[in-house]
Amino acid sequence: MLKLLGDEIFIAAIYANSHGPDSPTDSWRKPSPSMLLAAAVDLNLDLENSLLIGDRLTDLQAGESAGLKSLCHVLSIHGINERVQIANWITQNQMKPSNPASPKLLLLSSLLDFPLNLLPASFE
């Protein structure tokens, strides 16, 4: 991953999960927010003001459970297969702009479509 991003990009940490489908609910396997919560402690992150980009429903569910207010679903091979599930999840959870408790959710075709004005000033 670091090789793909290149030397110009600063990466503070990479978190990975090796737990399988039968892992305990408090493991790092999504939709558990445990990995995100650990990263928040390790890196002193403000999760409420952080952005999660994922291509699976479980990514978004973990982000919502961790208290993130900004989520982004991007199409990929997984993302294309899960977009209908994402739409159903949005409807079931009443994730609408009029509901202040729900996170903001962007649905993107590609990361190339990501609105750069959503990034904090420190990324510019």
Side-chain angles (χ1 to χ4, degrees), residues 8-20:
E8 303 82 39
I9 304 295
F10 172 75
I11 302 294
I14 295 175
Y15 287 74
N17 169 41
S18 62
H19 294 112

Side-chain angles (χ1 to χ4, degrees), residues 59-73:
D59 297 332
L60 304 178
Q61 291 169 326
E64 181 185 37
S65 294
L68 279 85
K69 297 297 180 198
S70 297
L71 306 172
C72 179
H73 181 255

Side-chain angles (χ1 to χ4, degrees), residues 11-84:
I11 302 294
I14 295 175
Y15 287 74
N17 169 41
S18 62
H19 294 112
D22 296 327
S23 62
T25 57
D26 64 342
S27 75
W28 279 18
R29 186 173 175 84
K30 295 171 281 180
S32 167
S34 296
M35 183 188 305
L36 298 171
L37 297 174
V41 170
D42 295 347
L43 302 169
N44 194 29
L45 300 175
D46 176 3
L47 289 178
E48 188 171 320
N49 290 305
S50 296
L51 168 72
L52 181 134
I53 299 172
D55 65 349
R56 293 190 175 223
L57 175 59
T58 54
D59 297 332
L60 304 178
Q61 291 169 326
E64 181 185 37
S65 294
L68 279 85
K69 297 297 180 198
S70 297
L71 306 172
C72 179
H73 181 255
V74 65
L75 293 180
S76 66
I77 292 172
H78 299 299
I80 290 169
N81 294 331
E82 296 207 9
R83 186 56 66 97
V84 171

